Amino acid sequence: METVQERNTGFAASIDVVVIAGVPGTGKTTVARRLAEALGYLHIDLTELALREKLYLEYDEERMSYVIDEERLVERVLSIVERHGKAVIDTHYPEILPPMLPRMVFVLRLHPMLLEERLRRRGWPWRKIKENIEAEILGVVTYNALERFGEDRVYEIDTTGRGVDEIVGEIMDVMRRGPGRQRIFVDWLSRLDMDVLSRYLD
Ligand SMILES: Nc1ncnc2c1ncn2[C@@H]1O[C@H](COP(=O)(O)OP(=O)(O)OP(=O)(O)O)[C@@H](O)[C@H]1O
Ligand SMILES: [Mg+2]
């Protein structure tokens, strides 16, 4: 795997950033925390940071979420990364990060029905659950990550039915050996029956 220096990123060679992405509920924070521990890196949860430091513009009542002030959030993240050097960043909008910052972006994928179960446990209204499952089915996070970071640095992991240790193990493996040529992109549209899909897509 190329080093940060070889990428000629404009970032110091001592900086190493790994991103864990995915729609809400796919397990980003759980995985990122464990991965950061294993690597000895700092864990930065972008949503948590934005809320804690009030780096948002407003609360969107309709979408029931804060509208993040991307400029201020990215500025803050860069200052933390410059100070700490090595970090695991967990976010559902990796595309706000500078294109050359992450060494790798891992997108966690999860079977829509399991995702539904997890999001229901949060007590979210169906509208919000459905919106996120739609994004999972269509692979929106991966699409945005590929646009921003390119194929070589985006790697999907189907977490369905797998424990955190196994997922973290795969991530560390890919970090060591590179993504390889046999990568798999999850496509729920072709893998799920129409009756399951029609529950979420209209
Ligand atoms: N591999 C796993 N197997 C079973 N349960 C998991 C797994 N990973 C995470 N979970 C559980 O799923 C729920 C959501 O996980 P987590 O909070 O890490 O998701 P997230 O992607 O960070 O969500 P958000 O974007 O809303 O912050 C938690 O209850 C967590 O314990
Ligand atoms: Mg989280």
Side-chain angles (χ1 to χ4, degrees), residues 185-199:
F185 285 99
V186 175
D187 180 8
W188 297 123
L189 279 174
S190 66
R191 277 167 60 176
L192 299 179
D193 287 340
M194 204 51 217
D195 56 330
V196 176
L197 287 174
S198 60
R199 196 177 149 65

Side-chain angles (χ1 to χ4, degrees), residues 28-29 45 90:
K28 297 181 297 295
T29 302
D45 177 336
D90 115 48

Side-chain angles (χ1 to χ4, degrees), residues 34 44 62 66 69 96:
R34 188 77 62 85
I44 310 173
E62 184 143 344
Y66 285 91
D69 185 338
I96 72 168

